Each structure stands twice: as C-alpha cells, then as structure tokens.
Amino acid sequence: MSDTVAVVLLLALTTYAVFGGADFGAGLWDLIAGGPEQGRRPRELIEHSLGPVWEANHVWLIFVFVVTWTAFSEAYASIMLTLFVPLTIAALGIVLRGASFAFRKSVVSLRNRRLFGAAFAASSVLVPYCMGAVAGGIASGRVPAGGTAGDPVDSWINPTSVVTGVLAVTSVAYLAAVYLVWEARRDDDAEMADYFRRRAVVSAVAVAVVGAVGMVVLHSDAPYVFDGMTGRALPVVIVGVAFGLGALVLLARDASRAARVLAVLAQAGIVLAWGVAQWPYLLPESLSVSAAAAPSGTLRVLIVNVVLAVLIVLPAFVLLYVLAQRRLLPEEGVPDAADRVADRPAD
Amino acid sequence: MGTFLDRRTIVLAGILGAVSVVAANSWMNAPTGFTLDSSGRVVAVDPVGVIFNKAMPLEAAHMLVAAYLVGGFMIASVYAGAMLRGRRDRYHRLGFVIAFTVAAVATPVQMGVGDALARWVYNDQPEKFAAIELVPQTSSDVPETLLGKLNSNGTVQGGIPIPGLASWLSDPATGKSTVVKGIDSVPAGDRPTVSEVNIVHLSWDIMVGLGTLLFLLSLWYGLTWALRRRMPTNRAFLTLAAASGLLSVIAMEAGWVVTEVGRQPWIVYGYMKVEDAATANTGVWITFIAVTVLYLALGVTAILVLRGMSRRFRRAGGFNDVESPYGPPASPAAEPQVEEATR
C-alpha cells in the first residue's frame, strides 16, 4: 500500500513540475526579456498565457506536501528540518511571485509595473532553483532518516543541489518556451513564435549540457541515484531525452502543438527518472518507502481520498485547463479600465 | 444545473473544509483514534475515531457559526460605512440587510453553541476552564470574575466578581454548589503559567464581551424590523454596524486564543507538550521575521494598490460605466448610486 502512495506522490510531483514548471519558466523569460519597450511583446504574451491558471498549479505542490506528511511523516520531518532554508525561500518566493503578478495587473504606472514585474520574474527563477536544490539534497543522501535535522547548509549548497537547481531552472525555461511558441502561433504572431522558438532551442541545449554535467556530478556525489539512472531508470532517461529532441524537431517543422506534448513528456521524464532511480528509497540508502510509511489505517484513508480527488477535482481541473487553452476564461486585471482612463479627456 | 453545481458545491466544500480543519484542532484537545507502542510511536490509526473525536462536534459547530457571523458582519460593515457616508440607496440597503441578517441570526445561535462548548470544557479540560473562569483553587460557589488577573502567588486581584455565577453556569442543575476544579487540580508540571492563565481569561472576557455587544446590536436590528418593518438607519446603529466586522474578527480570534493558550503546556492534550513538539532549529526566528516582513510589505502594498484602483475607478466615472469585480452591473441598476452620490 505504501508503494501505491509513493507512486501517487511521484505522479503529483511530476504534474507540478510540468504545470507549475511552465509558469515558473514563463517568469524567467519575462525576467530576461529586456527593457520595457524591447520586452513589451514577449511580456504581453507571457501575461495572457499565464493569466487564469497560474494560481491553480500550486494545488499540486500542496498535494505533495499533504501526502508526504500524512503517509511518510518521518521523511517529511527529516526533509523539513534539514532543508528548511531553501524550502522557506521557495515558500516566500511563491507568495511574492503570486502577489506581484496580481499587483502588476492592477497598477498602471510603468515604474510600479516594472517593480512588481521584477519581483514576479526574479521569484520565478528563485523558486524552481530552490526546489531543484531540495531534490538534490535528498537525492545525494544529505537528509538523514529518523525525523532528525541534517546539515542546514551543506544539504542544499552542494554539487548535486547546484546541478539539480540549475537543471530545474533550465528545464522549466525550456518547457515554457515551447508553450509560448504554441501560444504565439495561436495569435498568428510569427515574430513571437520565432522569438520563443530560438529560446526553446537554446534552453534545450542548456538542459542537455546541465544534464550531462549532472550525471558526472551524480557519479561522485550521489552514487545510489547515479546507479539507478544508469540502471533501473535508464529506459525512462532515454525516452525522456528522445521526447526532448523530438520536441525540437517538431518545433523546427512548426508543429508547435505536438511539440508541446513532447516537451511536457520530456519534463515529466526528468522527475520520473529521479523517482525510479532512487526507488525504493525516499531518502536514499537511509529510509525506504515501506519503512517510512504511516500505519495502514492512515494510508487506506489517504488512498480513498486520492481516488475521490481524482473523481471530483480532476474533471474540474481538466475543464479549467481546457477553457484556458481555448481562451474562454475572462482576462484578469484592469488594463481595460486603465485604457479608458487614458482615453478619457481630462475633466 | 451548472449554476447549481457551482454554488452549492462551494457552500458544501466550504463547510466540509472548515469542519475538517477544526477536526484537526479538536483532536489536539481530545486526542482519540490511535494506538501508541511502548516507545510512543503511533502504530495504528482509526481515522473515524480521529475525526469524530469528542471535542469535534461542538468545536466545529462553534467555528462554523462564527464563520457565518464574521462573514455577515464583515460584509455588512462595508455597506454600513457607505451608508454613513450618505449612500443609502437600494443597492447599499440590500447589501447591508442580506449580510447583517445572516450575522444577526447567527449571533444568538453562537451564544447557545458557545455555552454548550464551555460546559464541555468544564467537564473535559478542567484546567482550561479554570483559566477561563480564573479559578486558582478547586471550590464551589465560584464567582464569574469580569476582568481581573491572577497573581503569581495564586490569588485573584481586581475584576468584578459576580457571586456564584461561574458555578451556576457550569451546571445549572446544582447551581451555586457546583464544584469548579481549580488550576491546582492538575500536577504542577502540567499547569498553564500565570501569564497564560491571564491571557486565557482576558481573551475569554473579550470574546464574550464583544459577542454580547454584537448580540445586543442584532437585537436592536431585529426589534426594529419587528416593530417598524425596516432596518435601523440612525447614526449610532450604523456606526456600531460599521465596526461590527472588525469586532467580530477580534471576538473570533480571542476565542482561538482561549482554546489554544488554554491547552498549554500541551499541544496534544495529555500526550505531547509543546516544548517536545517544537523544532530544535534555532533559525526559526529568522524565518518568523522574514514571513512577518514579507506579509507586512504585501499587506501595505495591497492597500496601496486597492487605493490606486479605487482612484482610477472614480476618475473613470465611478459606478457609471466601469464594471468592478463583485460590484454592481455597469448599466441601468447603477443609476440610483450616481444620483445619491451627487446629491
């Protein structure tokens, strides 16, 4: 039963990496889009593509936390006590990001828009880095079992964490760029499609380089996960890489819709490969899934809840995504009201 | 059907969500549904026993009614504030009446639920009850002390004692002879500190005091409806109604202080103390300061942004031609407001 919950946990984490990841990546492209005039069009595209769904994606993160502390409390306690610094930065970053994004839509002056835009974009980079660093700390066995604290510094400032942090940032950038190509295509905006296509290629190369460096680092710093990646998880890795390359080929051929699907699968591959590689451990080589599991009564109710959530919440989520994809959701913010103010002659 | 699903499920999900959250807290007050091994690890869990712990029904009911009460007074207070500034059109009256009626009905219900909950605390968490009623030593004929404080030597100082009332309220059947357990009824190591007792007692007084004030305000409203078939519109009533939102929030928070501080030193009553549950990380202060600073900054920014939006909204013609979120529709219905505002 604990295996089932662990698989659910991994799938939820993957979903967050895919949907939340695209949001964060869009923030990164916002950050490096250049000055107000130069970056205006990419930023507009980013803003209206993120619009209505951006808040909903954190549901997956909350789900991951709830499942972890309910089903694997010992692992949760260890992770929280050890990695509280990057986790706190990530939490504050998520709050700042969401608030800034909302505020930016509600202010008119350029100075304020830039201020909130910068806060939004900077936290969009900081959060995935911290999340990646947390994953690296866990993967490299720096989180001790027993619900005890490990080294609060070395656990997230170490070779594996740096690589996984950078990998998280580059991979969400890649994913977002592919998404944005598709968004631009639907607007018949060839210039923006081209803009993000170039960025998708560059970030794909970056992901490949970081991934390769990552394997070298894992070899010496996280041998258990390295062995897993080159053994049990190798098929996942290969399929993931193939999807990532395939997405680029499709982008080059201007099949942006299919490219998006492959990019999502490639991103999912990274997280799934990590999970498969460190199986059966939650905390490699010190705490296994079954050893960390809560009493069966708790797990049973948790699984029932997951099934209910799938039946009740998932259709709503799918509807939300579909409506967002078809652009049937109302735009947020006040640009219209602001425009009216601007259009109105001074009284 | 779509609308049905939308609205009813939001209500249902809200209620179930609130009850679940409170169930977790009430479990801390009355932990049941689990088995510990000899080393204190949880080895078996009965989720039904956990959720439906003995404190849950009344605590959940108390919070649920509080939510309607606070929500009602909060919304009504916005409209009351607008009415004080002269916007007494149908839109504002309706906004006030719908919200305030919900709150006014919830208030007496809340007093009943609260009374039942206090009796549960009297029976099941005697030291919390002792802190609430400021009872250092177990005795009968215990007075209900309004305000006042406990001294470190165990005597009660100041306050207005109402003779025998605490005993009588605890069990009307036995009246003044009802014995109320004092703080001395639990071992020294398991007692709340003197300052914790004083916080609990003061918070209790604030909650009951504000609750009573809001009840009187509801009564005023109800009587006016009964006698004159309209809501009271004089300045005194509207001023109090405009404050009712804030007052109800303070009352609710004071109630949470009573239940949380009143459980000290336990985090899980009878099983785990707060000091044993707390993290050993010494960096907690940094996190706490960071969170506080961030939320303060966001709170201030939110107010500034909202003020900016409101300024633009007015400049753009107010209710005349701009739709605002949750606001009145832009066209015909908005006309009365404009008349009123320009009068």
Side-chain angles (χ1 to χ4, degrees):
Chain A
M1 202 151 51
S2 58
D3 291 357
T4 312
V5 178
V7 169
V8 168
L9 188 61
L10 184 59
L11 290 178
L13 202 58
T14 308
T15 313
Y16 184 61
V18 170
F19 290 108
D23 285 359
F24 288 122
L28 179 132
W29 295 121
D30 187 308
L31 182 67
I32 57 176
E37 201 39 51
Q38 190 192 353
R40 190 176 57 84
R41 288 185 58 201
R43 287 201 176 97
E44 273 174 12
L45 183 68
I46 287 163
E47 186 156 322
H48 85 218
S49 68
L50 279 183
V53 189
W54 63 277
E55 256 178 321
N57 288 324
H58 293 303
V59 166
W60 301 108
L61 181 65
I62 295 165
F63 185 83
V64 166
F65 274 69
V66 172
V67 170
T68 312
W69 83 53
T70 308
F72 308 110
S73 346
E74 184 185 333
Y76 184 83
S78 289
I79 293 168
M80 282 290 150
L81 286 170
T82 306
L83 293 160
F84 67 99
V85 178
L87 286 167
T88 304
I89 295 173
L92 297 181
I94 287 173
V95 172
L96 184 64
R97 188 187 121 87
S100 306
F101 188 71
F103 287 151
R104 179 167 71 169
K105 284 171 172 290
S106 311
V107 295
V108 274
S109 82
L110 178 65
R111 196 177 63 101
N112 286 339
R113 286 212 167 205
R114 287 181 73 174
L115 176 70
F116 291 127
F120 158 73
S123 43
S124 299
V125 177
L126 195 61
V127 175
Y129 179 82
C130 287
M131 300 276 192
V134 166
I138 295 171
S140 57
R142 287 180 164 88
V143 178
T148 49
D151 190 324
V153 178
D154 173 65
S155 58
W156 67 287
I157 300 180
N158 62 70
T160 305
S161 284
V162 171
V163 168
T164 48
V166 175
L167 182 67
V169 174
T170 47
S171 69
V172 297
Y174 161 71
L175 189 62
V178 178
Y179 265 63
L180 288 164
V181 172
W182 184 67
E183 292 280 349
R185 267 275 153 262
R186 288 197 315 170
D187 286 351
D188 286 323
D189 188 340
E191 195 190 325
M192 277 300 111
D194 198 46
Y195 177 98
F196 282 111
R197 192 179 302 120
R198 282 197 308 274
R199 278 155 181 75
V201 173
V202 170
S203 47
V205 172
V207 172
V209 171
V210 176
V213 172
M215 290 308 277
V216 176
V217 171
L218 283 182
H219 178 68
S220 57
D221 198 44
Y224 186 84
V225 172
F226 177 83
D227 290 347
M229 285 281 187
T230 51
R232 193 173 33 237
L234 191 60
V236 186
V237 176
I238 292 172
V239 172
V241 170
F243 282 144
L245 289 174
L248 286 185
V249 172
L250 290 174
L251 270 190
R253 295 189 173 187
D254 206 18
S256 56
R257 191 192 183 105
R260 208 175 56 124
V261 175
L262 289 192
V264 163
L265 292 173
Q267 172 81 345
I270 295 176
V271 183
L272 288 175
W274 168 42
V276 174
Q278 71 165 46
W279 191 265
Y281 290 108
L282 279 176
L283 304 175
E285 296 188 87
S286 64
L287 186 63
S288 68
V289 167
S290 55
S296 58
T298 308
L299 294 183
R300 204 172 300 127
V301 172
L302 186 63
I303 292 174
V304 170
N305 271 319
V306 169
V307 172
L308 285 177
V310 167
L311 291 178
I312 298 170
V313 181
L314 211 57
F317 247 92
V318 171
L319 179 68
L320 176 67
Y321 286 136
V322 169
L323 290 178
Q325 294 299 320
R326 297 193 185 157
R327 303 216 172 137
L328 293 172
L329 293 177
E331 284 270 339
E332 291 178 336
V334 292
D336 293 348
D339 291 347
R340 277 193 223 187
V341 176
D343 296 343
R344 194 172 270 263
D347 322 277
Chain B
M1 186 63 189
T3 318
F4 173 82
L5 277 176
D6 281 356
R7 295 188 181 165
R8 305 304 199 281
T9 47
I10 288 173
V11 173
L12 196 66
I15 291 173
L16 287 178
V19 169
S20 305
V21 171
V22 177
N25 182 271
S26 58
W27 179 84
M28 292 157 72
N29 284 322
T32 47
F34 62 102
T35 316
L36 298 180
D37 66 7
S38 55
S39 62
R41 288 176 67 99
V42 178
V43 287
V45 173
D46 163 29
V48 175
V50 170
I51 297 169
F52 296 95
N53 59 77
K54 285 195 301 172
M56 191 276 250
L58 283 172
E59 217 187 300
H62 199 44
M63 182 59 224
L64 208 55
V65 179
Y68 282 103
L69 189 151
V70 169
F73 282 127
M74 285 286 275
I75 296 168
S77 65
V78 174
Y79 290 102
M83 288 167 93
L84 276 174
R85 278 177 285 146
R87 298 196 200 122
R88 302 199 175 194
D89 50 84
R90 181 178 146 78
Y91 172 74
H92 283 86
R93 276 203 313 276
L94 262 186
F96 181 87
V97 165
I98 293 170
F100 200 88
T101 304
V102 171
V105 171
T107 306
V109 175
Q110 185 68 321
M111 296 180 102
V113 175
D115 180 57
L117 182 55
R119 213 156 287 135
W120 183 88
V121 173
Y122 163 76
N123 285 314
D124 290 68
Q125 282 187 319
E127 65 272 43
K128 183 185 280 184
F129 194 78
I132 286 172
E133 300 289 13
L134 220 53
V135 188
Q137 285 93 29
T138 302
S139 50
S140 61
D141 195 8
V142 176
E144 179 81 41
T145 310
L146 304 181
L147 301 175
K149 69 178 193 116
L150 184 68
N151 287 322
S152 49
N153 62 9
T155 56
V156 174
Q157 182 197 334
I160 310 155
I162 305 172
L165 186 62
S167 279
W168 190 85
L169 283 171
S170 303
D171 190 351
T174 47
K176 275 168 63 170
S177 60
T178 310
V179 173
V180 176
K181 284 187 183 162
I183 292 158
D184 64 347
S185 65
V186 289
D190 296 346
R191 289 176 197 164
T193 64
V194 170
S195 56
E196 282 162 359
V197 168
N198 284 324
I199 290 171
V200 172
H201 178 65
L202 181 64
S203 304
W204 172 266
D205 282 352
I206 291 172
M207 176 185 74
V208 175
L210 292 178
T212 309
L213 181 70
L214 293 171
F215 171 69
L216 293 176
L217 195 65
S218 304
L219 201 63
W220 184 348
Y221 175 78
L223 285 176
T224 311
W225 265 115
L227 299 175
R228 301 192 187 158
R229 298 272 149 219
R230 63 166 182 81
M231 63 171 284
T233 48
N234 57 65
R235 287 198 78 80
F237 176 81
L238 288 177
T239 307
L240 282 170
S244 66
L246 185 63
L247 296 180
S248 65
V249 170
I250 295 173
M252 179 180 68
E253 293 300 336
W256 277 107
V257 170
V258 169
T259 193
E260 290 302 287
V261 179
R263 198 183 53 242
Q264 301 303 314
W266 301 104
I267 187 161
V268 179
Y269 186 64
Y271 285 91
M272 182 187 249
K273 289 190 174 161
V274 172
E275 57 184 291
D276 299 322
T279 175
N281 273 336
T282 47
V284 171
W285 279 105
I286 300 170
T287 316
F288 178 68
I289 291 167
V291 170
T292 310
V293 168
L294 178 69
Y295 274 91
L296 267 179
L298 289 179
V300 170
T301 313
I303 292 170
L304 292 178
V305 168
L306 285 172
R307 285 174 65 97
M309 286 169 84
S310 154
R311 249 196 327 273
R312 287 203 306 278
F313 175 72
R314 282 171 213 282
R315 229 184 301 152
F319 288 102
N320 234 350
D321 59 351
V322 179
E323 293 246 4
S324 58
Y326 307 106
S331 45
E335 279 162 22
Q337 276 89 17
V338 181
E339 272 171 38
E340 290 285 342
T342 49
R343 192 168 287 168

